[in-house]
């Protein structure tokens, strides 16, 4: 009981300005994931490209993000967390802006790759900075991070729809401008962060994957991201909505559910059912929804409703998976974040392109069946590390309880 009371006492939203600056940058960064969703059909039409070619916008961005994750710890341990964040933000500002200046899919794909490099530097480091600087404890820091993720994912498609209604170039210029604001906020409000005493080797994240808990969570996340980015990167096509703003509203509704269930739903179900059991049900639910999309792919209303409802499971999954990774990993959190990010973004990067190719070679529905299968295969993968997750969760609960009990006497009024 005391652990829950202690967790409740420390609000994740009472933070130093430095944490808020990084959290704002996180919102904008995650907006970049869904920002292009509403303009995918428009891009395919105006640039005379196939869905598989347009899906390379996700693939180049996420595969480069994945590979670059390996080197983030190496960079951060030499220039410090603040300047790693700044470097990542500068790259995003430059490459997002450049993506809006070209006239062909190939150019956009190339600049999205540079955007992915900045994204890797930023995402991996921002989680470590928020966890290290937040005053609400580990769980509260994760909730704050996932709130930023949820807001970014929710607002991104809507903003993309608004700007995309003006021009398909609008979303790219929009991200560049917002990230420039985040860059200034980070420079002004985030104090200098000390360089780590020990320099991280370039291959440290790959070495960290020898730890069974981290590798298990990474493979599970790769499969999860395969299904997730099939949903995000290919579902706009069978919806039959050619107005970017209409697509923006669909993914805005989806993103609102992601945010609500990441911030409020995840802590509740975790206390009630535990991390691993919730994740099993989540993966099963997502697999079922993707199968429904496959079965009803010719009905836009079925696809739209299934996509929106998936936000419930995605929100729960994001928070609980991030917590589980940080808990089961025996290495430093920045290295764990890089190693985990490398494995999971590989799945996210390949899925949209593969979905497009599968649909071209067979039928649209098959792409979603493959995504559903990825979610279902992730369940036994996660189950293979069940004991590790449960043990880590129990240790964290005991530590929280011990901390809250030791702090409790100082909170009592004198006399």
């Amino acid at each position: 009981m005391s652990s829950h009371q202690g967790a409740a006492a420390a609000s994740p939203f009472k933070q130093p300005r430095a944490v808020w600056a990084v959290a704002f940058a996180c919102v904008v960064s995650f907006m970049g994931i869904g920002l292009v969703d509403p303009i995918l059909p428009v891009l395919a039409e105006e640039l005379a490209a196939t869905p598989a070619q347009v899906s390379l916008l996700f693939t180049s961005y996420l595969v480069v993000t994945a590979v670059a994750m390996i080197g983030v710890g190496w960079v951060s341990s030499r220039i410090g967390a603040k300047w790693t964040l700044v470097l990542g933000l500068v790259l995003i500002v430059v490459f997002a802006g450049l993506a809006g200046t070209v006239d062909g899919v190939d150019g956009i794909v190339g600049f999205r790759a540079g955007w992915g490099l900045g994204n890797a530097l930023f995402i991996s480091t921002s989680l470590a900075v928020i966890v290290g600087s937040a005053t609400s404890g580990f769980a509260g820091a994760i909730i704050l991070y996932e709130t930023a993720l949820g807001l970014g994912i929710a607002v991104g498609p809507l903003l993309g729809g608004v700007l995309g209604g003006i021009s398909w170039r609008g979303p790219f210029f929009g991200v560049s401008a917002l990230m420039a604001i985040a860059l200034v906020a980070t420079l002004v409000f985030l104090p200098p962060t000390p360089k780590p005493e020990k320099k991280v080797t370039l291959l440290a994240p790959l070495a960290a994957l020898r730890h069974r808990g981290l590798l298990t969570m990474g493979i599970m996340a790769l499969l999860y991201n395969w299904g997730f980015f099939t949903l995000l990167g290919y579902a706009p096509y069978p919806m039959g909505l050619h107005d970017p703003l209409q697509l923006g509203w669909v993914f805005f509704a989806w993103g609102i559910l992601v945010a609500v269930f990441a911030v409020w739903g995840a802590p509740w179900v975790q206390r009630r059912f535990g991390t691993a059991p919730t994740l099993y049900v989540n993966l099963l639910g997502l697999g079922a929804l993707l199968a429904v999309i496959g079965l009803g792919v010719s009905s836009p209303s079925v696809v739209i409703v299934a996509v929106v409802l998936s936000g419930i499971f995605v929100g729960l999954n994001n928070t609980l998976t991030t917590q589980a990774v940080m808990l089961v990993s025996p290495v430093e959190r920045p290295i764990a974040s890089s190693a985990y990010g490398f494995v999971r973004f590989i799945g996210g990067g390949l899925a949209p392109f593969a979905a497009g190719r599968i649909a071209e070679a067979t039928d649209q529905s098959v792409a979603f069946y493959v995504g559903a299968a990825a979610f279902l295969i992730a369940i036994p993968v996660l189950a293979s590390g069940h004991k590790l997750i449960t043990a880590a969760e129990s240790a964290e609960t005991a530590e929280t309880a011990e901390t809250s009990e030791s702090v409790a006497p100082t909170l009592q009024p004198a006399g």
Side-chain angles (χ1 to χ4, degrees), residues 123-330:
I123 284 182
S124 186
T125 311
S126 63
L127 176 57
V129 168
I130 286 178
V131 169
S133 306
T135 56
S136 55
F138 170 70
I142 295 293
I143 289 173
L144 182 64
Y145 180 78
E146 293 301 334
T147 302
L149 186 153
L151 281 173
I153 285 178
V155 176
L158 189 58
L159 182 63
V162 171
L163 296 175
I166 302 168
S167 165
W168 65 261
R169 302 176 192 274
F172 299 111
F173 293 137
V175 165
S176 184
L178 287 168
M179 272 306 202
I181 297 170
L183 172 61
V184 172
T186 301
L187 283 168
V188 172
F189 295 120
L190 184 63
T193 52
K195 295 178 187 176
E197 294 178 9
K198 185 176 70 172
K199 285 185 169 64
V200 174
T201 64
L202 189 59
L203 298 180
L206 294 180
L209 290 172
R210 290 180 300 185
H211 297 287
R212 186 171 165 226
L214 188 56
L215 180 61
T216 299
M217 292 304 300
I219 293 172
M220 186 279 287
L222 184 153
L223 292 163
Y224 165 77
N225 273 279
W226 188 285
F228 172 63
F229 279 99
T230 297
L231 183 84
L232 201 64
Y234 200 73
Y237 298 105
M239 286 182 191
L241 302 174
H242 296 288
D243 180 354
L245 188 56
Q246 288 180 327
L247 270 170
W249 279 113
V250 170
F251 280 97
F252 176 71
W254 168 81
I256 289 294
L257 288 179
V258 172
V260 168
F261 281 86
V263 178
W264 290 286
W268 184 82
V269 295
Q270 185 182 38
R271 287 193 301 268
R272 192 169 179 86
F273 304 109
T275 300
T278 302
L279 288 175
Y280 297 145
V281 174
N282 253 25
L283 292 165
L284 184 62
L286 284 165
L289 283 173
L290 239 65
V292 166
I293 293 175
L295 288 167
V297 76
S298 59
S299 171
S301 58
V302 170
V303 178
I304 290 169
V305 171
V307 166
V308 171
L309 289 177
S310 73
I312 296 170
F313 300 107
V314 170
L316 293 171
N317 201 89
N318 286 347
T319 296
L320 297 181
T321 302
T322 304
Q323 282 193 33
V325 169
M326 292 295 152
L327 289 174
V328 301
S329 175

Side-chain angles (χ1 to χ4, degrees), residues 328-361:
V328 301
S329 175
V331 299
E332 293 91 341
R333 281 169 179 162
I335 295 176
S337 181
S338 294
Y340 170 68
F342 164 66
V343 178
R344 70 173 173 140
F345 281 125
I346 288 289
L350 296 178
F353 180 70
R357 288 296 190 193
I358 290 168
E360 287 173 8

Side-chain angles (χ1 to χ4, degrees), residues 337-406:
S337 181
S338 294
Y340 170 68
F342 164 66
V343 178
R344 70 173 173 140
F345 281 125
I346 288 289
L350 296 178
F353 180 70
R357 288 296 190 193
I358 290 168
E360 287 173 8
T362 55
D363 182 75
Q364 274 191 333
S365 61
V366 178
F368 293 106
Y369 294 144
V370 171
F375 282 132
L376 297 180
I377 295 169
I379 296 173
V381 170
L382 181 64
S384 70
H386 184 97
K387 290 182 180 177
L388 290 169
I389 297 169
T390 305
E393 190 176 22
S394 299
E396 174 69 13
T397 301
E399 187 179 328
T400 305
E402 191 176 305
T403 303
S404 63
E405 284 169 7
S406 65

